[in-house]
Amino acid sequence: MSKFVLIGSGLAGGLLAAYLGRRGYEVDLYERRADPREGNIVGGRSINLAISTRGIHALEQIGIAKEALQHAIPMRGRMIHDKGGELHFSPYDVDPKKCINSIGRAALNSTVIEAAQRYSNVRVHFNHKCIGVDIDSAVAHLETVNGTVTARGDAVIGVDGAFSAVRKSMQNAIAKFQYDESYLAHGYKELTIPPGPDGSWQMEKNALHIWPRKSFMMIALPNPDRSFTCTLFWEFEGPRSFATTKTDDEVRRFFEEEFPDAVPFMPNLLDDFRNNPTGSLVTVRCAPWFYRDKVCLVGDAAHAVVPFYGQGMNAAFEDCVVLDECLEQFPENCERTFTEYFRRRKENADSLADLAIGNFIEMRDKTASRTFRAKKKLDHALEAALPGKYLPLYTMVTFTRMPYARAAKRARIQDSLVYASLFLIASVLIAAMLWLFAT
Ligand SMILES: Cc1cc2nc3c(=O)[nH]c(=O)nc-3n(C[C@H](O)[C@H](O)[C@H](O)COP(=O)(O)OP(=O)(O)OC[C@H]3O[C@@H](n4cnc5c(N)ncnc54)[C@H](O)[C@@H]3O)c2cc1C
C-alpha cells in the first residue's frame, strides 16, 4: 500500500491526511469546496465546536494541539438560563481545571489542512467533487469546473461527512451493506450574540450557555471575538415550531416568551433568523466501514451522530488515531488494517450515537430541574470521595479516552449501585423512624 486517495478535507480529512503523510504514504486529498483559508467556510454548519480530551489527544499526536487551541475558549461548565432570567452554573467536573473548549470550525479546518500540507507527499485539491467510486479498483470520479477527472489509489478513504458519496458507492455495490439513517424531529438554526457596544462579553465567557425549555432549547458557545454563537434546536413541525414561526412578529414574540434574558443581547435576531438556514440532525449507522483493502470510511461518513454530547468531531479525530495505530500494527496488510479499525470503532460509534440522543433529552429538559443539579452534585461528591473508582458518565466521555461503549456500560453499573445504595439508606432511615415512633 503506497497511495491513498482521500475524499473530503473537512475536520477529519485534513487530520487523517497529516497522519498518513507522516507515515510516508502518497496522499491525494480531494475536497468539493474551495479552500477554507479563502473564507469559503461551510454555510449552515456549526461555526464553533466543543473540543475535549479525545480530540485534543488526536491533535497532540501529530504535534498541532498548541497551534489549534491557541484561540480556543475554555468552558468550565453549563450556565443554565431559566425563563425568569435566573442563572445556575453547573461545573463539568469536580476538578475545576477540567473544561471543554470552544473552537472555531474554520480555523481548526485550516490548521489540520496546513498540518497535512507540511508533508511533501500530501497534495490537496479543492473544488473537486466526488461523484462516485469504483470500489473494486479504488478509483474515484471527481467533478471539476473543467470536467470530470479520475483519481486512482491503492485505497480510497471516504472522509466526506454525513452524506458521504463514498459510502453511497459502497451501498450501491455491496449487496449486504447495512445502512440506517434517522432524523430528529428537531432542526437547528444558528444565531448571534455580538460583543457589547464597548466590545465586551455580554455573558459569562467560560461557560456553555443553555436555555432548556423541555421539548426544545437554545445553547451558546463563546468565540474569540467576544461574540457567542447561539444554536436554537427546535421542532420542524407542530403548533409552535420552525414551520409556524415565520414573520418577524412571530419570531420576536417566541424569543421574548422563551429567552427573555437573551433577546436584549441579540440585535440581529430577526435578520439571523430569516437568513440563516435551518439544518437537520441525522444519525447514520452503517456496516461494514470498509471494502476489502480498497475502500474505508472515517468520521461522519461512517457514523454521523447528533451534536448533543459535543463528540462528533472528537470521535472523528479518534478514528484517525485508531486507523493510524492499525496501520502501524499491520503495515503490509491494508485489509487487516481496515478490519481491525472497524472492529475497534464500530461498537463505540453506536454507543456514542445512543449517548448523543440521550443527552439531548438531558440538556433540553433535565438540566433545568433541581433533581438534575442534585444528581450532578452527588456525582461530583462520589468522584471526589472515590477517586479513580467512580467516574460520572460525562467525565468518562469528555475527559477520558475510555472507549464510548465501555464508558456507557460502566455508567449503567455505577448508577445501579448508587440507586441501590440510596434505596438501602432510605429504607434504613424509614425503618429507624418507624421504630422510634413505635417505641
Ligand atoms: C450543529 C452542530 C454542532 C456540532 N457541535 C459539535 C461539537 O461541539 N463537538 C464535536 O465534537 N462535534 C460537533 N459536531 C459534529 C461535527 O461537526 C462532525 O462530527 C465533524 O464535522 C465530522 O468531521 P468529518 O471530517 O467527518 O466531516 P465534515 O466536517 O462534514 O467534513 C466532510 C468534508 O467532506 C467534503 N465533502 C462532502 N462531500 C464531498 C464530495 N462528494 N466530494 C468531495 N468532498 C466532499 C465536505 O465539503 C467537507 O469538507 C456538530 C455538528 C453540528 C451539525
Side-chain angles (χ1 to χ4, degrees), residues 6-15 30-34 36 41-42 44-52 55 75 100-103 105 109 113 125 127-132 141-143 158-166 188-190 208 219 221 231 233 279-282 298-317 319 404:
L6 266 55
I7 306 296
S9 78
L11 298 176
L15 188 68
Y30 294 94
E31 165 60 43
R32 72 176 169 190
R33 296 178 195 272
I41 193 64
V42 193
R45 294 296 301 278
S46 59
I47 288 168
N48 53 22
L49 308 109
I51 187 166
S52 48
M75 300 180 287
I100 59 176
N101 303 276
S102 174
I103 192 165
R105 185 184 286 270
N109 204 354
I113 291 171
H125 313 267
N127 301 307
H128 281 67
K129 180 183 174 187
C130 177
I131 48 171
H141 302 277
L142 302 138
E143 224 170 55
V159 211
D160 49 345
F163 304 99
S164 167
V166 179
Y188 70 93
K189 193 181 279 288
E190 293 204 333
L208 189 153
I219 65 168
L221 273 70
T231 312
F233 295 97
S280 54
L281 297 163
V282 67
V298 168
D300 275 15
H303 52 74
V305 298
V306 294
F308 305 109
Y309 232 112
Q311 284 293 313
M313 165 199 53
N314 286 283
F317 280 7
D319 285 351
Y404 292 115

Side-chain angles (χ1 to χ4, degrees), residues 52-55 78 92-94 98 100 309 311 314 318 348 352 355 375-376 379-380 383 388-415:
S52 48
T53 298
R54 294 167 204 265
R78 309 168 183 87
Y92 280 126
D93 195 78
V94 65
K98 285 203 182 132
I100 59 176
Y309 232 112
Q311 284 293 313
N314 286 283
E318 202 170 50
N348 291 308
L352 175 61
L355 289 171
K375 168 81 168 66
K376 286 289 158 206
D379 268 350
H380 293 169
E383 192 185 355
K389 300 223 158 32
Y390 183 92
L391 286 171
L393 176 60
Y394 189 86
T395 299
M396 290 187 276
V397 169
T398 310
F399 300 125
T400 77
R401 292 191 295 116
M402 184 185 300
Y404 292 115
R406 198 190 307 158
K409 188 172 171 202
R410 184 166 160 172
R412 281 194 296 275
I413 296 170
Q414 285 180 172
D415 278 353

Side-chain angles (χ1 to χ4, degrees), residues 8 17 19 29 53 56 66 71 89 98 114 150 153 159 174 200 231 246 252 267 271 292 303 330 381 396 418 438:
Y19 271 94
L29 172 56
T53 298
I56 295 171
K66 213 166 159 199
H71 300 300
F89 182 72
K98 285 203 182 132
E114 272 157 22
T150 54
V159 211
I174 303 172
S200 60
T231 312
K246 295 270 189 235
R252 197 181 299 110
D271 284 343
R292 301 195 341 222
H303 52 74
F330 306 108
M396 290 187 276
V418 169

Side-chain angles (χ1 to χ4, degrees), residues 5-316:
V5 167
L6 266 55
I7 306 296
S9 78
L11 298 176
L15 188 68
L16 183 61
Y19 271 94
L20 296 174
R22 185 174 64 175
R23 286 208 172 273
Y25 296 109
E26 292 297 315
V27 179
D28 276 297
L29 172 56
Y30 294 94
E31 165 60 43
R32 72 176 169 190
R33 296 178 195 272
D35 190 336
R37 292 162 294 185
E38 290 164 9
N40 301 301
I41 193 64
V42 193
R45 294 296 301 278
S46 59
I47 288 168
N48 53 22
L49 308 109
I51 187 166
S52 48
T53 298
R54 294 167 204 265
I56 295 171
H57 171 78
L59 297 172
E60 278 168 356
Q61 293 307 295
I62 198 90
I64 55 169
K66 213 166 159 199
E67 180 185 343
L69 287 166
Q70 59 182 329
H71 300 300
I73 299 168
M75 300 180 287
R76 304 192 193 290
R78 309 168 183 87
M79 185 68 85
I80 311 296
H81 296 240
D82 70 20
K83 257 190 172 180
E86 254 190 68
L87 301 181
H88 306 272
F89 182 72
S90 171
Y92 280 126
D93 195 78
V94 65
D95 175 356
K97 288 201 287 298
K98 285 203 182 132
C99 53
I100 59 176
N101 303 276
S102 174
I103 192 165
R105 185 184 286 270
L108 183 57
N109 204 354
S110 300
T111 304
V112 290
I113 291 171
E114 272 157 22
Q117 287 181 323
R118 282 180 204 140
Y119 299 95
S120 57
N121 42 327
V122 176
R123 295 160 294 275
V124 188
H125 313 267
F126 294 101
N127 301 307
H128 281 67
K129 180 183 174 187
C130 177
I131 48 171
V133 174
D134 293 336
I135 65 168
D136 280 304
S137 53
V139 170
H141 302 277
L142 302 138
E143 224 170 55
T144 74
V145 283
N146 301 317
T148 307
V149 296
T150 54
R152 186 180 295 273
D154 296 308
V156 173
I157 303 188
V159 211
D160 49 345
F163 304 99
S164 167
V166 179
R167 188 184 64 223
K168 186 96 191 128
S169 295
M170 290 171 74
Q171 224 178 319
N172 292 339
I174 303 172
K176 289 190 176 159
F177 190 78
Q178 293 168 26
Y179 183 70
D180 178 66
E181 65 177 24
S182 58
Y183 286 86
L184 288 190
H186 294 68
Y188 70 93
K189 193 181 279 288
E190 293 204 333
L191 306 159
T192 308
I193 292 184
D198 59 350
S200 60
W201 297 96
Q202 303 222 56
M203 301 187 297
E204 167 59 50
K205 69 166 176 162
N206 293 120
L208 189 153
H209 294 261
I210 311 179
W211 290 258
R213 297 295 182 261
K214 293 214 176 287
S215 72
F216 62 93
M217 69 172 176
M218 183 165 80
I219 65 168
L221 273 70
N223 296 311
D225 67 356
R226 302 188 177 195
S227 68
F228 288 84
T229 302
C230 305
T231 312
L232 170 66
F233 295 97
W234 199 17
E235 286 97 334
F236 275 116
E237 305 285 339
R240 241 166 133 237
S241 62
F242 280 119
T244 57
T245 310
K246 295 270 189 235
T247 66
D248 284 358
D249 275 351
E250 286 163 348
V251 173
R252 197 181 299 110
R253 201 174 321 124
F254 169 67
F255 272 79
E256 280 169 357
E257 274 173 25
E258 297 296 341
F259 313 115
D261 63 330
V263 173
F265 301 148
M266 303 173 90
N268 307 323
L269 169 64
L270 298 178
D271 284 343
D272 282 353
F273 197 93
R274 206 179 309 116
N275 299 330
N276 293 352
T278 309
S280 54
L281 297 163
V282 67
T283 301
V284 170
R285 295 173 205 253
C286 65
W289 293 357
F290 67 100
Y291 175 70
R292 301 195 341 222
D293 59 348
K294 296 293 180 216
V295 184
C296 188
L297 301 173
V298 168
D300 275 15
H303 52 74
V305 298
V306 294
F308 305 109
Y309 232 112
Q311 284 293 313
M313 165 199 53
N314 286 283

